[in-house]
Amino acid sequence: MANELATSKDITNYLKHVFDLEKMLYQQNEILEHLRDSIGSVNYQMKLEPEIYQEKRPSVVGGIITAIACAFFAILVYFGYVFLKSPEGGAPGWFLNIMLGIIGIFVCFVVGGIILVVSNVVQTQSYNQQVRITNQENIEEIQRYRKNLLEKGKTLNDEYALLADERKKTKAVLNKFYSTNVIYPKYRSLPAIASLFEYMLSERCYGLTGHEGAYNLYESELRLGHIISTLDSISSDIKEIKQNPKVFSDKDLVLTDIFGIGSNMVLSLKYWLKVLGLVE
């Protein structure tokens, strides 16, 4: 096959097919990575539990103790009152009136304690009823949320399986092109293929091998730092530009400072981002 590509046009057309496949494979990998992240996010959200509020127990101990204690003292004072009112007791009327007042006070405390207990029970029951309603609403809401997540997760997994199959087909076609051994194994990557294709398309080179061939020009520009050899070396820059795709059009930004690379590499980076469709 290598010998059959006798003309510059044949090599250029071959490189175009390989470049399109490499670019498609890169884009498919990027989408699959995004789908994996989305699926992981869905799986994480499926573990979320509804917010459940705890019911309260009525606080009746204080009221009950108060009522019992006051009732006990009221009874004691009453028995004292009965004794002192009798001929044997002989207490004066004003003193008996005071005792009646004390009994009345204790009775009021007893009634107050009972009211406090009843009020606390009623309030607690009302609160617990609202808690049960709120908890049920939260449970139903999380169930609806999980149902939507299940549907979303199924859609994402179906898309992932479909695209993974397409990527497998793309890799098979690409490997078939590479199996012709037109391109040396060293240069079978998207950055290298894109550069070789650009050299041939722009007629900077008319062949792959030789002193003036595309391989030699690629190695020369690689040594000078004019081109990017791997996408891994600019992965952090790609992520930053995805977040701010207008970075190259902002006149006030010094790109060499932002990316920490030389001006030639900035141009190479911009070229790559155009190839990947991230900037215009």
Side-chain angles (χ1 to χ4, degrees), residues 23-195:
K23 181 180 176 182
M24 183 183 300
L25 187 62
Y26 172 84
Q27 292 170 338
Q28 289 171 339
N29 286 331
E30 285 287 292
I31 297 173
L32 285 172
E33 182 179 357
H34 175 72
L35 286 173
R36 279 194 297 270
D37 291 341
S38 298
I39 292 171
S41 176
V42 168
N43 291 336
Y44 173 79
Q45 293 177 68
M46 283 293 294
K47 298 177 182 178
L48 296 177
E49 295 292 336
E51 187 174 6
I52 301 297
Y53 298 96
Q54 297 298 320
E55 296 185 20
K56 293 181 179 180
R57 292 183 178 179
S59 179
V60 298
V61 176
I64 292 175
I65 291 176
T66 299
I68 292 174
C70 290
F72 175 76
F73 284 113
I75 292 171
L76 286 180
V77 174
Y78 175 75
F79 280 120
Y81 169 81
V82 171
F83 173 75
L84 293 175
K85 187 178 179 181
S86 67
E88 292 82 3
W94 62 269
F95 186 75
L96 294 174
N97 291 333
I98 291 175
M99 293 186 72
L100 286 175
I102 293 173
I103 292 172
I105 291 173
F106 280 126
V107 170
C108 288
F109 275 107
V110 170
V111 174
I114 294 172
I115 292 174
L116 180 64
V117 170
V118 173
S119 175
N120 188 272
V121 169
V122 171
Q123 290 179 3
T124 303
Q125 288 178 343
S126 176
Y127 172 83
N128 289 341
Q129 178 65 22
Q130 185 60 46
V131 164
R132 286 189 287 271
I133 293 173
T134 301
N135 288 342
Q136 184 61 31
E137 290 176 348
N138 290 345
I139 291 172
E140 291 174 357
E141 181 180 358
I142 205 72
Q143 288 174 343
R144 289 193 298 270
Y145 184 63
R146 285 175 177 172
K147 182 180 178 181
N148 292 334
L149 284 176
L150 283 173
E151 294 175 357
K152 181 179 180 181
K154 183 180 183 305
T155 300
L156 289 172
N157 279 290
D158 290 345
E159 290 178 356
Y160 185 90
L162 181 63
L163 186 57
D165 186 60
E166 290 298 318
R167 180 183 63 175
K168 184 178 179 181
K169 294 177 182 178
T170 302
K171 289 182 70 173
V173 175
L174 180 62
N175 289 335
K176 188 174 182 179
F177 268 89
Y178 281 143
S179 68
T180 60
N181 292 321
V182 173
I183 304 295
Y184 291 165
K186 178 181 179 180
Y187 303 100
R188 294 174 185 177
S189 65
L190 178 55
I193 291 296
S195 296

